[in-house]
Amino acid sequence: MTLLERDGIDVGHDYQHAEKLACAGQSIALGDTLLKWYEVAPAIEPIEPMVSDLARLGLADAARLGELRLGGTLGFVILHRCGEGFHFLLLCTWQNENELWETVWAKDRDADPEFHPWPLDGPHRPTFCVWELGVVAHERDAWTRFLRSPRDRDARLDYLRDTFSGVV
């Protein structure tokens, strides 16, 4: 049986895809790197302010301690509520003009008192889920507009103001 003849590919028969909401928040500075802030969650289960504060504090501490070497660039963060109490924290920066680099952290309910680096094994690994890709698609377009601009102070401010909020 070929892939095209099978049912569901790698999607369970009982899976029901639901919309989530992406909300732009207050940008964050980590050293000389400026990052937009996004939160992605079901509309009826937004990210708790305590979790958002913990994520921001964790990133600031990691940058201050030298655990994040971001190189003074622009980018964005996605804090994603993936399920009952599980959160991904995705730090994305634009590097080498046109590359998107990512650092992945996670927090699993109360079992994790803070966010920690997400272990990734093997050469073929996940990147973004379909909800996160809604934000990434906007950011790709925003970065392309920046690359086509004079790339001066005003263009950097325009990039930082160019955010997305909506259904993903």
Side-chain angles (χ1 to χ4, degrees), residues 76-92:
F76 57 97
V77 172
I78 302 173
L79 177 56
H80 181 187
R81 182 180 184 138
C82 301
E84 194 64 36
F86 185 88
H87 297 79
F88 271 124
L89 179 61
L90 312 173
L91 188 153
C92 305

Side-chain angles (χ1 to χ4, degrees), residues 20-25 36-42 45-57 59 76-83 85-92 102-103 105-108 114-115 128-129 131-132 135 168:
K20 290 189 179 185
L21 203 56
C23 298
K36 300 179 194 182
W37 188 272
Y38 292 98
E39 295 187 358
V40 174
E45 293 180 286
I47 294 171
E48 300 89 356
M50 181 182 81
V51 173
S52 184
D53 292 346
L54 187 63
R56 287 175 177 273
L57 182 63
L59 291 177
F76 57 97
V77 172
I78 302 173
L79 177 56
H80 181 187
R81 182 180 184 138
C82 301
F86 185 88
H87 297 79
F88 271 124
L89 179 61
L90 312 173
L91 188 153
C92 305
E102 179 188 32
T103 301
W105 292 18
K107 179 181 178 345
D108 192 4
E114 55 191 32
F115 283 87
F128 301 102
C129 74
W131 296 287
E132 295 155 359
V135 173
V168 289

Side-chain angles (χ1 to χ4, degrees), residues 130-152:
V130 294
W131 296 287
E132 295 155 359
L133 282 171
V135 173
V136 173
H138 170 83
E139 286 301 313
R140 180 254 178 223
D141 292 344
W143 188 249
T144 300
R145 286 188 287 277
F146 173 77
L147 291 176
R148 292 181 177 146
S149 77
R151 298 188 298 272
D152 56 9

Side-chain angles (χ1 to χ4, degrees), residues 88 102 104 118-129 132:
F88 271 124
E102 179 188 32
V104 179
W118 182 253
L120 296 172
D121 297 324
H124 192 64
R125 48 188 170 225
T127 57
F128 301 102
C129 74
E132 295 155 359

Side-chain angles (χ1 to χ4, degrees), residues 6 10 15 17 29 31-33 58 62 65 74 87 89 101 103 110 112 121 123-124 127 137 140 151-152 164:
R6 288 194 324 240
D10 192 22
Y15 176 77
H17 190 73
D32 56 355
T33 296
L65 295 171
L74 299 170
H87 297 79
L89 179 61
W101 289 27
T103 301
D110 294 333
D112 290 328
D121 297 324
H124 192 64
T127 57
R140 180 254 178 223
R151 298 188 298 272
D152 56 9
F164 169 79

